[in-house]
Amino acid sequence: MENENTQTILLATDFSTGSDAALDQAIQVAKSTGARVALVHVIEPAIEFPMGAAYSDMDGGYYASVDLALSARASKIEQAGPRCTTKILEGPVTSEITRHARELGASMIILGTHGRTGLSHVLLGSVAEKVIRHAACPVLTVPYARKAA
Amino acid sequence: MKILCGTNFDPGADAAARFAANLAARTGGSVELMHVLPPIDPSPFVAGSEVQARRMAEIEREGAARALAEATSALRQLGGTPVTSHIESGPPDACLLLRASQTSADLVVLGMTGRSRIERWLLGSVAERVVRLSDRPVLLVPPATGERPRPEPLKVLVALDERDASGGALSFVRRLRAHVACDIVALRLYWPVEEYRRLGLTGPRELFQSDPEVVSDLETSVRNRVGALSGAGAFEVAVEASWGGRAATIVEVARARHCDLIIMGAESRHGLARLSHAPIADRMAHLAPEIPILFVPPEPAASPKVVPLSTVLAATDFTEGGDLAVRGAYGLLAGRGGVVELCHVHERPLANPAYAYDEPAGRLSDIERAGLEARLRALVPGDAAEHGIVTHVTVVDGGRAATALVQAAERMRVDALVLGGGRNGATRHALLGSVAQAVVRASRRPVMVVPSPVDEA
């Protein structure tokens, strides 16, 4: 079943609307290249405050809900045709995505962008832009179009 | 179409009711005529005031019920559609909206009162509030409407803008046209400065008339967005330059084309945003005292339709990284074919603003341009034609690379951009930034960045 030459597309999602637009695009690319999709979500570690962890819901319940959300998207991909695996990663978003892509030998990374501009861009930055700087494979960014034609 | 029509027995309200009955008859629906009485409001300072107020209210209610019955039977006599009536007391806008959702009406119809500006300012307008608060389409009918004959087909103007807010207006038109033959004019207004920047059109451009390049681009967008319309009637697209006064331009176009109905997205702005953007419903009604206006609330944004990438803009600066990106673009389309727009930007400063002046200094000569185009053509892989990939070559003269590429992508309407870049060393990155990052930030189309083979310092 698993072909040696099958390419892998790494699709990172944060479950936002923008990510789901990227998911549709990933299906299209995977279908036309016969690649399989590795769907990942990165959980960033809680910021440690002196008085204890910033939030404490990082228990099984949180993982279960992330897993559920990932599976829902994975089955959407598989219904459209391409094979799909899911994985939850933990650590800094950018480096986890690029590291995992290297490990898989991914031929492409697909990401949604929120299209933040101005102040929110400066403050929040863009995961996509950082991934572009560090990735060893092509990165396809899919903007979430808030404007219609 | 199930229509709820509010009435206060004004001549304006009668015109609205007739329009509603006509529409219901054509679409095979029904009309409910509704009157809202003011709430019982006893004065707290007069002894026995509540009894008094109740008696007054009862008398009023009887009178209103009689008037409503008359209005209902007058509508029934027009024939063609079932008419029911309903009476209630309370705040009129809230009662209307509640009733509309209880009866799951498809449309709320109201007459515009003949109030003057100052009266409206003092009293506010029920219609205005209903338009603003309603979660379903609201049709405002001005008093002068009823006198005009309405021939088949209905001539409808749909005002579209770049936002999703007008998506609801489009789907209403689709529903309407399934029942009624409509000639539709889709009007897209644009702000010249914005469109010139988006498309990167330079040199002295027309500022007040429509610019042919903008018109053809936006017309294609509108046609793509509207797609195929079912039902009978003509369809045309009008694209007009507009400096601010949206309402005035819409009414002007509607008049010039003798439209019977204007359909537009309702702007549901609240709080401060309402102060900076005066409600358009009132202005429209003031400007067009003879054309009914239908406001459709924005729909929840449908997820954008994703198409397989078939047209790709590949950019190169003739460095190793750029040429790798070109190969990446052909690789993306290999096996199913498509169009590659090979693009190189000859960077030079442009005049500011670029749409107003021309900056000839540093412009490419024909020979230089031909040389660059030949270099681009040399990058086309030998087996491109076998894979069914067509190549177009473009040299963009002027501007900064990132901006020029995003603008070229808009002009060419490509599905995605492919460019090299990425892995710059930290120092170089901090100093120069990267064209790729700037493109990712600015483009509203997918961008594929192919990492350059430089070291990862």
Side-chain angles (χ1 to χ4, degrees), chain B residues 82-104:
Chain B
V83 184
T84 55
S85 66
H86 181 73
I87 196 161
E88 215 169 288
S89 67
D93 41 346
C95 285
L96 267 168
L97 290 176
L98 188 66
R99 184 71 187 167
S101 71
Q102 277 168 354
T103 58
S104 53

Side-chain angles (χ1 to χ4, degrees), chain B residues 274-296:
Chain B
R274 280 195 64 222
L275 283 181
S276 48
H277 299 261
I280 199 168
D282 235 8
R283 258 178 306 149
M284 293 284 295
H286 189 75
L287 287 163
E290 80 283 7
I291 308 174
I293 307 165
L294 208 156
F295 295 91
V296 188

Side-chain angles (χ1 to χ4, degrees), chain B residues 98-151:
Chain B
L98 188 66
R99 184 71 187 167
S101 71
Q102 277 168 354
T103 58
S104 53
D106 299 310
L107 180 66
V108 178
V109 178
L110 290 174
M112 294 299 288
T113 49
R115 272 195 196 137
S116 76
R117 273 209 145 161
I118 294 170
E119 274 177 310
R120 272 206 308 262
W121 181 65
L122 286 174
L123 301 171
S125 130
V126 172
E128 183 73 56
R129 278 197 299 277
V130 170
V131 167
R132 184 153 47 86
L133 299 173
S134 177
D135 59 348
R136 53 199 77 222
V138 179
L139 173 64
L140 301 186
V141 183
T145 308
E147 324 318 329
R148 296 198 305 154
R150 21 208 75 262

